[in-house]
């Protein structure tokens, strides 16, 4: 039996290619068919539709954009769902709300399937390099069965207990990532508008204790105003919303996240949702221009 992979976008495409390169027998599908061509060239088989993937695979990995996309490929709310997932292990690798994942697990298990949460931390470049970090949650036997399968894609995997423990862990990590990159971007903007050499500022930062893999990935993009996507601003806004909603449901304050939420909402509203998350610089610049009374 093959391993199924549904969703070949910015993250899913390179992840699936890592599996194919490792010799994993893959059957893949994507809503936009042209994204399947690199996988076909790498030896994967391309299915006509999601139903064929479930029919041919014992384990099906989902790397999909949102809850609606997951519902669509599962045939959720129709008799097709039970037929697709019975006897299968469904591995949900995207980022959705914990409540959604909890309900999905209950439905899949009731239909005779198994369910594993396996969201990953990392963007397009770590996905291409097999350097993602995966967080897993679900039935222990199902989790341990899936864990070796993720090795070509992931530098490390962590077991986070029962679902939705992995998604809650991912949201916690995302909260730090969002505030970290927004803080780096605001600091870059501050230094630049103070007349400092941006390259010198970034060199000083890189030599000090605040340097990180994230700052080293994002600093050149800020310096060159390279907004080519690694993690899209629109996706960051979605993740920001999910973290904020989970915080509200638990009665938790999230003051830094709430400021970032507003900035990414402005970034997307300005038409930059398809650009990298460092495009939040555009929203910060727009606020500066408004504050100084200059036209944007």
């Amino acid at each position: 039996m093959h391993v199924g992979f549904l969703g070949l976008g910015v993250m899913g495409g390179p992840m699936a290619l890592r599996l194919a390169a490792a010799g994993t027998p893959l059957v893949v599908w994507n809503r936009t068919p042209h994204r399947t061509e690199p996988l076909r060239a790498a030896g994967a088989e391309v299915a006509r539709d999601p139903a064929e993937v479930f029919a041919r695979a014992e384990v099906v990995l989902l790397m999909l954009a949102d809850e609606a996309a997951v519902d669509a490929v599962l045939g959720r709310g129709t008799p097709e769902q039970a037929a697709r997932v019975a006897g299968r292990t469904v591995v949900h690798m995207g980022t959705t709300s914990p409540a959604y994942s909890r309900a999905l697990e209950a439905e899949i298990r009731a239909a005779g399937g198994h369910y594993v949460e396996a969201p990953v931390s990392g963007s397009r470049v770590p996905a291409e390099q097999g350097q993602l970090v995966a967080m897993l949650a679900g039935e222990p036997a199902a989790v341990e069965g899936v864990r070796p399968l993720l090795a070509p894609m992931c530098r490390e995997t962590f077991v986070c207990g029962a679902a939705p423990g992995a998604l809650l862990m991912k949201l916690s990590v995302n909260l730090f990532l969002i505030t970290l990159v927004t803080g780096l971007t605001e600091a870059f903007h501050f230094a630049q508008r103070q007349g400092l050499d941006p390259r010198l500022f970034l060199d000083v930062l890189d030599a000090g204790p605040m340097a990180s893999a994230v700052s080293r990935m994002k600093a050149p993009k800020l310096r060159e105003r390279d907004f080519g996507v690694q993690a899209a601003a629109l996706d960051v806004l979605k993740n920001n919303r999910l973290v904020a909603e989970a915080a509200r449901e638990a009665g938790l304050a999230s003051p830094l996240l709430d400021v970032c939420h507003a900035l990414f909402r402005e970034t997307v509203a300005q038409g930059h949702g398809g650009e990298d998350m460092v495009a939040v610089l555009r929203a910060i610049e727009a606020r500066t221009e408004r504050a100084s009374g200059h036209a944007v």
Side-chain angles (χ1 to χ4, degrees), residues 159-171:
V159 177
C160 302
L167 273 168
L168 287 169
M169 186 69 74
K170 172 68 186 296
L171 295 182

Side-chain angles (χ1 to χ4, degrees), residues 88-252:
R88 305 290 187 264
T89 298
V90 178
V91 184
H92 175 30
M93 302 192 75
T95 305
T96 59
S97 76
Y100 173 86
S101 181
R102 189 183 295 113
L104 188 60
E105 179 188 39
E107 292 176 12
I108 289 172
R109 292 180 66 176
H114 302 284
Y115 179 78
V116 175
E117 284 180 351
V120 294
S121 182
S123 57
R124 179 179 56 81
V125 172
E128 292 171 345
Q129 297 172 345
Q131 293 295 304
L132 298 171
V133 175
M135 294 142 277
L136 291 85
E139 303 165 82
V143 167
E144 290 307 314
V146 165
R147 202 173 186 182
L149 180 62
L150 305 184
M153 301 180 288
C154 299
R155 175 169 51 84
E156 290 195 64
T157 58
F158 294 91
V159 177
C160 302
L167 273 168
L168 287 169
M169 186 69 74
K170 172 68 186 296
L171 295 182
S172 301
V173 170
N174 279 359
L175 195 162
F176 181 48
L177 173 65
I178 292 166
T179 55
L180 177 67
V181 173
T182 305
L184 171 64
T185 304
E186 184 174 329
F188 176 84
H189 174 71
F190 177 86
Q192 187 176 48
R193 293 301 178 103
Q194 294 286 358
L196 301 179
D197 179 349
R199 290 177 179 273
L200 180 60
F201 162 70
L202 293 171
D203 287 345
V204 171
L205 178 67
D206 195 46
M210 279 97 64
S212 68
V214 171
S215 68
R216 289 174 178 141
M217 183 180 297
K218 297 304 184 185
K221 297 180 74 62
L222 288 166
R223 185 183 66 232
E224 305 300 330
R225 293 186 72 86
D226 169 17
F227 300 119
V229 67
Q230 292 174 339
L234 184 61
D235 292 334
V236 174
L237 179 61
K238 181 199 82 168
N239 279 270
N240 204 318
R241 174 181 57 79
L242 290 172
V243 180
E245 289 173 354
R248 298 298 88 81
E249 289 171 10
L252 302 176

Side-chain angles (χ1 to χ4, degrees), residues 13-106:
M15 290 166 67
L17 283 170
R18 294 285 307 182
L19 289 175
T24 305
L26 283 182
V27 55
V28 304
W29 178 87
N30 194 69
R31 182 176 56 86
T32 50
H34 76 274
R35 289 186 179 271
T36 64
E37 291 309 313
L39 271 300
R40 191 193 301 273
E45 298 178 25
V46 178
R48 296 182 304 274
D49 53 33
E52 182 183 349
V53 175
F54 282 96
R56 297 178 57 191
E58 292 178 346
V59 178
V60 180
L61 310 181
L62 309 180
M63 190 61 186
L64 298 162
D66 52 29
E67 296 167 5
V70 175
D71 289 349
V73 301
L74 291 175
R76 200 164 180 225
T78 75
E80 283 294 312
Q81 179 176 351
R84 290 183 188 184
V85 305
R88 305 290 187 264
T89 298
V90 178
V91 184
H92 175 30
M93 302 192 75
T95 305
T96 59
S97 76
Y100 173 86
S101 181
R102 189 183 295 113
L104 188 60
E105 179 188 39

